[in-house]
Amino acid sequence: PIVLSHRIDEASPLWSVSPTDLITEKFEIILTMEGTTPETGNNIQVRTSYLPSEILWGYKFEHSCVRFNREIGKYEVTFDTLNTMVKDNTPCLSPKSYEEQKRTAYGDDPKKENAANSSPAIQKTFFAKPRHKNKVHKLPGEQDSQ
């Protein structure tokens, strides 16, 4: 499986987007992936889009659909966990606000700032959208409503 990510920094259009913006703003993120199949050399293109209501702030894909089976000595792929999401440590504010708070708290001391810059969720944020619109995916800790 391919993992796509978008680094959110000052050059990113998502730099000032916060969890509140996902509720109040109207926008669409369009993803286009192009490539070539190695077996045939054919070009492929995949497109999808994400609306704010489809983005889950503070969650990421688990990426656990491939595992090595030691008994048979081969890799196995399961689609059961393909859309599994887990909560991460993304702060509940925009990356821009997060950086401003860090600068205020640590001033211009790079040693202190590097220690505070250890949040991998801010550096690499994954946006989650179910691949099957009719399939219900439970978030971690969510109870059955039946």
Side-chain angles (χ1 to χ4, degrees):
I2 296 173
V3 175
L4 297 175
S5 66
H6 170 76
R7 182 174 295 274
I8 300 177
D9 57 16
E10 293 89 350
S12 169
L14 302 173
W15 179 244
S16 61
V17 175
S18 71
T20 305
D21 294 329
L22 296 181
I23 298 168
T24 60
E25 299 295 321
K26 292 184 180 181
F27 62 90
E28 183 175 15
I29 297 172
I30 299 172
L31 171 71
T32 303
M33 187 171 74
E34 297 179 342
T36 306
T37 56
E39 298 81 15
T40 63
N42 289 338
N43 292 329
I44 58 168
Q45 184 181 69
V46 178
R47 293 183 61 162
T48 190
S49 67
Y50 300 88
L51 297 172
S53 62
E54 297 171 316
I55 298 171
L56 299 177
W57 191 280
Y59 286 85
K60 64 182 179 178
F61 285 115
E62 188 174 14
H63 302 296
S64 64
C65 61
V66 179
R67 70 177 185 91
F68 187 74
N69 185 330
R70 293 184 189 276
E71 292 178 15
I72 60 174
K74 294 183 180 180
Y75 285 94
E76 296 177 332
V77 177
T78 177
F79 292 103
D80 294 341
T81 58
L82 187 64
N83 290 314
T84 301
M85 291 168 271
V86 293
K87 191 156 182 58
D88 66 14
N89 60 349
T90 303
C92 288
L93 62 162
S94 73
K96 180 179 179 181
S97 298
Y98 177 77
E99 286 297 319
E100 288 169 356
Q101 280 187 4
K102 256 187 2 184
R103 284 191 197 107
T104 302
Y106 299 108
D108 291 327
D109 186 348
K111 290 180 183 175
K112 289 181 181 177
E113 190 170 334
N114 285 339
N117 197 19
S118 62
S119 173
I122 275 292
Q123 297 168 10
K124 195 180 234 185
T125 300
F126 294 96
F127 295 105
K129 177 181 179 183
R131 293 179 187 266
H132 307 289
K133 293 220 180 233
N134 295 333
K135 189 173 179 183
V136 175
H137 299 281
K138 291 185 198 129
L139 296 176
E142 199 173 78
Q143 300 292 326
D144 272 337
S145 58
Q146 297 174 344

